[in-house]
Amino acid sequence: MSHRGAATRSALLDAAAHVFRTVGFARAGVSEVVEHAGASVGSLYHHFTGKADLYMALYEDYQQRQQERTHQAVSRGRAQGESDPTRLMYTAARAYLDGAIDERATTLLFFSGDGPPGFESQLRERLREWTDRNVALFRKADEPVDEALLMVVSGAMLVAVTEVVRRGDADARRLADDITSLLSRLEPRDRRERTG
């Protein structure tokens, strides 16, 4: 993609984020997005298949940033000597919550329930992917995987994100502290308990 094409794509995404946050996905029109971007309808359809594709591209960008945040947090934890996969999972969860708070307006866009048809299933699929990455943490540490624990933490994270982004910054961070503290008390069941 040319520099000009990349700039147009970026302007369209920025405009879409603004319009979707302002009027909601359902009420937003492609014409509003291109007007806000200073682009043409043709350029939008050159880069995207329509409004839903714009929304999904915004979500993919957001998820990429969140994944990078959690990866960096886990890497920092490992560099500081942490090897317990459960604690690393909670470190990643906290980084995800912090990212959701830092990007509150964008996060609300995806957790408001006002997205394209099928988006809720995309959120659930991403939750499964997060769970799969946590399974990999346990396997890398040669620890038994407690699927029930991973499901509880993953489900709690979906609800936690929805709640923390609806609060003011200080209250959201306190709630994130409380959630992380509660989650960190959950420990994998002993391997003997699972087999017995």
Side-chain angles (χ1 to χ4, degrees):
M1 182 182 307
S2 71
H3 175 70
R4 183 174 173 198
T8 300
R9 183 180 190 282
S10 180
L12 287 165
L13 285 171
D14 289 346
H18 172 77
V19 171
F20 294 161
R21 284 191 294 250
T22 304
V23 300
F25 174 80
R27 293 183 53 210
V30 167
S31 59
E32 293 169 276
V33 172
V34 294
E35 182 181 328
H36 191 76
S40 68
V41 172
S43 65
L44 184 140
Y45 286 107
H46 175 75
H47 293 283
F48 304 97
T49 59
K51 187 170 78 164
D53 193 28
L54 274 167
Y55 187 94
M56 291 308 298
L58 287 169
Y59 181 68
E60 291 300 325
D61 288 351
Y62 170 78
Q63 279 301 111
Q64 184 62 42
R65 291 188 303 277
Q66 286 290 69
Q67 188 172 338
E68 184 58 30
R69 285 179 181 108
T70 59
H71 176 74
Q72 287 176 1
V74 168
S75 294
R76 280 191 304 272
R78 284 189 174 130
Q80 294 168 358
E82 184 59 68
S83 61
D84 180 89
T86 304
R87 286 196 282 273
L88 290 171
M89 177 177 62
Y90 295 137
T91 297
R94 179 53 195 254
Y96 194 95
L97 287 174
D98 284 340
I101 294 166
D102 291 344
E103 292 195 45
R104 179 179 284 110
T106 301
T107 306
L108 276 168
L109 179 63
F110 304 121
F111 287 82
S112 68
D114 180 26
F119 182 69
E120 295 295 321
S121 66
Q122 287 282 342
L123 279 178
R124 286 191 298 279
E125 180 59 31
R126 286 309 175 113
L127 197 54
R128 279 192 288 278
E129 289 172 9
W130 189 77
T131 302
D132 290 345
R133 283 193 296 278
N134 285 315
V135 167
L137 279 176
F138 282 85
R139 290 201 172 119
K140 192 176 208 177
D142 202 27
E143 292 280 331
V145 176
D146 187 335
E147 289 185 45
L149 173 68
L150 293 176
M151 281 187 240
V152 166
V153 171
S154 297
M157 284 299 293
L158 187 59
V159 173
V161 169
T162 303
E163 291 303 315
V164 297
V165 298
R166 298 184 194 292
R167 296 168 185 245
D169 198 58
D171 193 28
R173 301 233 185 246
R174 267 193 306 278
L175 182 58
D177 286 343
D178 291 345
I179 290 164
T180 306
S181 175
L182 282 171
L183 288 176
S184 69
R185 293 180 194 159
L186 299 174
E187 292 289 331
R189 293 172 291 162
D190 183 47
R191 183 182 296 215
R192 288 170 303 203
E193 186 179 332
R194 270 182 284 208
T195 58

